[in-house]
Amino acid sequence: VADFAFEYVNPAAERVLGAGDGPVQGRRMLALFPWQAEHPLLFPRYVAVLRGEADGAEVELPNGADGRAAWFRNAVTRLDAERIAVAFQDITAAKEAERRQTFLLALADRLRAAPREATAAAAEALARHLSVSRVGYGEVSEDGERITVTREHADGTVAPVMTTHRLDDFGPELIAELRAGRTVVVED
């Protein structure tokens, strides 16, 4: 088997597959998605199901090869000696919720420590969860003029900044966000 042709693609699948240059129906799978040729849960599995060498049991698979961070539940069944049917469902939202829940449970376990250790553990856990180089916690002075970074996690690619900073140095927009009680992310 060199490739599969899409004989029928429902509207929902068209939206998810989104070839970008026209409908998917009537086109060849590997022509549209060449990366699927080597993915063990896609093209090779489909060929094995067509040949009767494997069952098409439902599997969950990450899809990042084409630049999208997504998860799909995928099932395949043999229709006859030359055709298969593939059903899939985008389960990205459920996987992201599962990842958040796992993070929050692990964080809750780590936060049972004394306050100082808990803040350090939270900074480390949040940095890893967000895949960022640094997370810090700071305390604003009573006069609202300075912030002292009291806890920080840096991944080793950036230097620590546990020191006191003048809030005015961060600019009025950032200060307004902090004073409004909102979380601030600085991308640098």
Side-chain angles (χ1 to χ4, degrees), residues 15-160:
R15 282 190 300 280
V16 171
L17 294 172
D21 58 347
V24 172
Q25 189 165 314
R27 298 173 73 184
R28 298 216 162 263
M29 185 176 108
L30 296 180
L32 290 173
F33 312 108
W35 60 270
Q36 291 188 6
E38 302 301 319
H39 196 297
L41 296 176
L42 294 171
F43 186 76
R45 181 167 148 257
Y46 298 167
V47 171
V49 169
L50 180 68
R51 291 180 177 157
E53 299 166 357
D55 69 28
E58 193 173 87
V59 295
E60 292 182 359
L61 58 126
N63 177 18
D66 63 354
R68 294 184 298 168
W71 277 87
F72 291 93
R73 183 170 291 128
N74 176 292
V76 58
T77 189
R78 181 176 185 221
L79 297 176
D80 56 40
E82 297 180 358
R83 298 179 309 149
I84 58 171
V86 177
F88 63 92
Q89 177 185 15
D90 185 341
I91 58 169
T92 304
K95 284 292 190 178
E96 288 172 352
E98 180 182 304
R99 182 174 176 258
R100 275 190 303 277
Q101 184 66 21
T102 299
F103 165 72
L104 291 172
L105 289 171
L107 181 60
D109 287 344
R110 294 186 74 183
L111 293 181
R112 288 190 178 96
R116 192 168 173 85
E117 289 78 18
T119 308
E124 178 185 357
L126 189 57
R128 292 184 193 285
H129 180 71
L130 298 175
S131 299
V132 296
S133 59
R134 173 186 296 129
V135 169
Y137 290 90
E139 296 178 11
V140 176
S141 63
E142 297 249 353
D143 61 10
E145 300 293 321
R146 294 170 306 287
I147 185 168
T148 301
V149 178
T150 56
R151 283 284 168 261
E152 173 187 60
H153 173 78
D155 68 359
T157 65
V158 294

